[in-house]
Structure formats: structure tokens, C-alpha cells
Amino acid sequence: MEKHLVFLMMIWMTCKVSTLYSQDISGLHLQGTMPGTLLNPAMPLNKKINISLGSFAVAGGTNGPSVNEMTSKNQDGKRYLDIDKLNANLDESHDIYATSNIRTIDAAVKIGSFVLMGGHGFRADANLRYTADLVNLASYGNAPYIGKTLELGPVADVMAYNELYLGAQKTSGRFTIGLKAKLLYGISNISTESSDVKFTTSDEYYQLQFKNNYILRSSGLLRYNGIDSITIDQSYISFDNLFYNNRGLAVDLGVAFQVNKNFLISASALDLGSIKWDFFPRKYSSIGTFSFEGVDLVDYIVDSTLSVKDTLLDLIKVKSEIETYSTTLNNTFTLGGRYTKDNWNFNLLYMMRNQYGIRNHALSVSVLRKIWVFDLGIQYRLAKNDYSAIGFYTKLNLGPFAAYIGADNVVGMFKPLDSKSASVRFGSLLQF
């Protein structure tokens, strides 16, 4: 029963985030407004006064198997974990990831060819990487792998922080350049510095051996009391230390070129920076070779309290230290084009997001039509192992006020057990 706990956790996490992930491509339809500058700080604004109020974006997913690719139904129609089916859909390693961006306010004023802007947001990212060897060991035990070495080390990364920024745009001829300078305050963090955990079962006397070089750091989030007692303290994920600890700096850079009155091309580099974590910074490390030769049968019979499980857990030594550390942000690079004709708007966007050292690429196309007080859009996103992400966008324009909502992977909303990614974004605007 215990060996299946890993899979139940994976399924739960996949269900939680596989309906959330995508790159934030709804910014394609928000060009000319403050949310559009989140995708590129050089995206020209349409009005003199531009305010974005309380926008919210969340995204997530997995590059591993979907729920239907790891489960089956029995004769009673009840779903169960299908170990063989799961293993047939595994590569060497897979990731489960999520991101959110909650904006309290973003505002800008346009004075001639110059724009001054500023704002605040709460950002959070998370990623869990698991290996096929870990899944196989939990599925079948170590018997099929006698004499072999398995790579078990999971990789967990979590980062939550506040950002305050001031920025500017300058238009000269057909060119617009944009820059945002950000002051960061970290809230919580987990960072896996090294994840090497090799497990071997000897083919001579079946001794167990762990060869570890595993280092994990945490600021105010992870609580470690033992191998079998690791908890996440969510109380630290709050606004209590809004502008106090864990300081950092970052910049956004962008450029846009108006080829003609209909065609615009743009490029950006976002979140180039880092955070120094000094609020309850912990370093947990397990380095060395740990061998389990077995339990003496006489001792096991005489001592009724002797536990093989406890002996194994005590075998692996973990060192805890207080040590400040730094992490880089998950940065994003974009290259896009927009063609406008009458009430039609056509967009093309390439985006590369570097999330905890993993490069996620996405190519998106979209079309937008203005009908009366509505902007109605549809988009298609192409990404690795995910080819069915069709999304929608709707914006209501009432004079200077506007409200919008967009979602990615509409098909996944109706078939969540087959879905690997999606996102949602909504908010309101004032422009005059």
C-alpha cells in the first residue's frame, strides 16, 4: 500500500496543475494596454492614461503522462492506477509545473513620445521533476533491478515573491524601446541545488546502497524533521514580510518596430535578475555512500521493537545548516508580430521560458475581431507533447473601462483527464 503513495501524490498534483499550465500568450490580445507591457515593456500604449486593476493569471501543467495515460477503469467503472500503462508512457524524467501572476495595479502616463509606468505584482512558480527510475522502484520494488543502479533524486523548486517596478518607454520614429527596473522581495523558496541519488541492489548478497550528492535549500517554507517527516509550512506564504526580507533586483527589456501602419514586430527579455534569500535560510545536504547490509536475524527475534524500515531511514544522513543563498528568476524571451486590418487583428508569437533550468518553447497564432463593444479572439498554441491547445479571449469595452477574460486549451476543459496544459487570465482596465 505504501509504495503506491508516490503515485497517488503524482496523480493529485497532475490533476491540480494540468488544468492550469501554459505560457501567458493572452498578452497577444492586450497590446496597447498595460497588461500588454507585461509581455513586452516596449509594446506601444494607445491612450494617455493607462491603468490595469486587479488582474489575475494562473497557468500550469505537465510534460509527463496525463491522468488517462496512467489510470484505467475496472469492470465496475471505477478508476485505478494502472502501473504498466503508466510506465509505458514514461520518459527518463518528467515535470509538473505551475505559475501565477497576481497584479494589484499597473499604471502608465504617456507624454508625447515618452511613457512613464509603474506597478506591483505577486509572482509564484513551482516545479517538481520525478524520474522514471523512482516510479519503477515504487511500482515493482527493487527485485527487477538487482545489479543495476537507479537514479532516484527528485527535483523540487518553488519561488514566491513580490515585485515593485518603475519603467519607461521611448518612441523614436518607428522604434519603441522599453525598460522596467524591478525591486523584488522574496516570500518563500525551495531550491534543489543538486539531485544526484543513486540506488543499487547488489547481485551478491542483495545489499542496498545509496550514493548521494543531494543538496536542497529553503527559505521559510520547508520543515525537515527526518526522512519520513518533511512538511511544507504554508504559513510563510503571506504578505506579512511584504517589503522586508529576501531582496533582489531584475529588469525587463523590450523593443518594437512599426514596419508600416498595419504591421508591428516586437521582441522582449523578461525577468532578468535574482533574489538573495536570507529569511530562515536552510541548507539540507545528504552527501556520501550509505550501505544497508541487512538485519541480524537473532537481534530481530530478540528485539520486538526492531524495525527494518526505521533502520533504513536512519541509514541516510542529512545535514542541516543555516546559510544564505541566491536564486535566479525564471526568465522569458519572446519574438512576435501583429498585423491589423480594419476590425481584424492577426498575431504570431514565439516564446521561450526558462523555468528552473528547463526550457519550454511555445509557438502561438491568434486572430481577433472587433464586434460592437466586444473584442473576440481565438488562438492556437503549439508546444512539446501538447498539440491541441485552442484558447479563447473576450473583452468588453465600455468607454474608458474594459474587462477581459481569456483561457487556453478549451478542449482540455471538456476533457480534463486527457489534458496536459491550460491557463486562465482576467482583469479590468481604465484608459483615457
Side-chain angles (χ1 to χ4, degrees):
M1 186 69 181
E2 288 184 355
K3 71 179 183 179
H4 296 306
L5 179 61
V6 174
F7 297 112
L8 295 176
M9 292 176 64
M10 288 181 179
I11 291 175
W12 179 82
M13 291 186 70
T14 302
C15 290
K16 283 287 185 181
V17 304
S18 64
T19 58
L20 299 176
Y21 176 74
S22 81
Q23 304 294 352
D24 183 17
I25 57 177
S26 59
L28 289 169
H29 306 300
L30 290 162
Q31 298 177 36
T33 68
M34 280 307 296
T37 65
L38 300 179
L39 187 67
N40 187 334
M43 201 60 66
L45 295 169
N46 294 335
K47 301 293 184 179
K48 183 175 181 180
I49 303 296
N50 302 267
I51 301 173
S52 175
L53 299 171
S55 68
F56 178 82
V58 62
T62 179
N63 58 14
S66 65
V67 174
N68 271 340
E69 290 175 335
M70 65 173 74
T71 62
S72 298
K73 290 184 178 180
N74 59 24
Q75 294 180 346
D76 298 328
K78 295 183 179 180
R79 191 172 295 277
Y80 68 94
L81 181 65
D82 189 331
I83 300 298
D84 293 331
K85 186 177 180 182
L86 168 62
N87 281 274
N89 287 292
L90 287 177
D91 292 329
E92 184 176 337
S93 66
H94 290 292
D95 298 274
I96 302 172
Y97 30 79
T99 181
S100 66
N101 191 352
I102 303 172
R103 315 299 306 181
T104 53
I105 187 170
D106 297 277
V109 57
K110 186 175 182 181
I111 306 172
S113 62
F114 184 80
V115 174
L116 181 65
M117 51 187 162
H120 167 262
F122 170 78
R123 310 279 297 276
D125 293 283
N127 188 85
L128 171 66
R129 184 183 304 168
Y130 60 94
T131 68
D133 285 348
L134 178 62
V135 175
N136 290 329
L137 182 64
S139 302
Y140 305 114
N142 65 326
Y145 307 106
I146 294 175
K148 298 181 179 180
T149 298
L150 305 180
E151 182 58 64
L152 305 183
V155 180
D157 292 287
V158 178
M159 180 162 48
Y161 62 93
N162 288 283
E163 66 173 26
L164 286 169
Y165 74 87
L166 287 176
Q169 285 183 4
K170 180 66 171 72
T171 300
S172 179
R174 297 183 180 183
F175 281 97
T176 301
I177 58 174
L179 169 69
K180 290 181 181 178
K182 301 180 178 182
L183 183 59
L184 312 176
Y185 293 90
I187 295 176
S188 297
N189 178 260
I190 294 176
S191 177
T192 304
E193 185 174 307
S194 177
S195 61
D196 190 14
V197 177
K198 290 182 169 60
F199 171 75
T200 305
T201 303
S202 170
D203 55 4
E204 183 178 2
Y205 298 109
Y206 309 115
Q207 304 99 320
L208 307 181
Q209 183 185 84
F210 291 90
K211 189 175 182 180
N212 296 353
N213 183 19
Y214 197 92
I215 301 174
L216 186 143
R217 298 179 182 271
S218 176
S219 174
L221 188 59
L222 186 71
R223 287 187 176 272
Y224 175 86
N225 301 305
I227 294 293
D228 59 343
S229 180
I230 302 174
T231 59
I232 301 297
D233 190 348
Q234 300 182 21
S235 65
Y236 285 106
I237 306 179
S238 70
F239 291 92
D240 291 343
N241 58 332
L242 186 60
F243 307 120
Y244 185 64
N245 295 295
N246 305 322
R247 295 178 178 85
L249 297 172
V251 296
D252 291 350
L253 305 171
V255 61
F257 178 65
Q258 192 75 48
V259 179
N260 55 45
K261 68 175 183 178
N262 301 112
F263 186 43
L264 176 77
I265 58 175
S266 61
S268 66
L270 310 175
D271 298 320
L272 305 177
S274 63
I275 297 175
K276 181 178 180 180
W277 301 93
D278 55 18
F279 180 69
F280 289 108
R282 295 292 187 272
K283 176 184 177 182
Y284 302 107
S285 57
S286 177
I287 300 173
T289 300
F290 310 98
S291 298
F292 177 69
E293 305 296 337
V295 177
D296 187 278
L297 184 59
V298 175
D299 292 340
Y300 188 75
I301 294 173
V302 173
D303 187 356
S304 61
T305 65
L306 187 62
S307 169
V308 174
K309 176 184 174 183
D310 291 340
T311 303
L312 277 169
L313 292 175
D314 292 338
L315 171 70
I316 301 175
K317 304 302 180 184
V318 177
K319 183 179 180 181
S320 176
E321 303 171 83
I322 299 176
E323 185 176 291
T324 60
Y325 64 99
S326 297
T327 60
T328 57
L329 299 188
N330 295 318
N331 38 62
T332 303
F333 301 87
T334 73
L335 179 63
R338 178 184 68 182
Y339 181 80
T340 304
K341 183 69 173 180
D342 299 327
N343 289 321
W344 291 94
N345 191 319
F346 302 91
N347 300 280
L348 176 68
L349 179 72
Y350 164 75
M351 178 179 287
M352 191 279 285
R353 179 173 171 81
N354 183 15
Q355 185 158 345
Y356 301 111
I358 305 162
R359 293 184 177 182
N360 298 305
H361 303 266
L363 181 65
S364 310
V365 293
S366 69
V367 59
L368 181 72
R369 170 70 175 177
K370 295 181 180 295
I371 303 176
W372 191 38
V373 295
F374 294 99
D375 292 351
L376 303 176
I378 188 170
Q379 63 194 32
Y380 172 74
R381 178 178 53 83
L382 180 65
K384 183 180 179 181
N385 297 329
D386 193 4
Y387 312 111
S388 60
I390 299 176
F392 74 90
Y393 168 84
T394 302
K395 181 178 171 213
L396 174 63
N397 303 290
L398 297 174
F401 175 80
Y404 62 89
I405 184 171
D408 193 12
N409 200 1
V410 177
V411 176
M413 294 181 179
F414 298 98
K415 301 176 65 177
L417 299 184
D418 292 313
S419 175
K420 293 186 179 183
S421 67
S423 72
V424 63
R425 181 189 184 103
F426 58 85
S428 59
L429 305 169
L430 279 174
Q431 288 185 294
F432 49 89

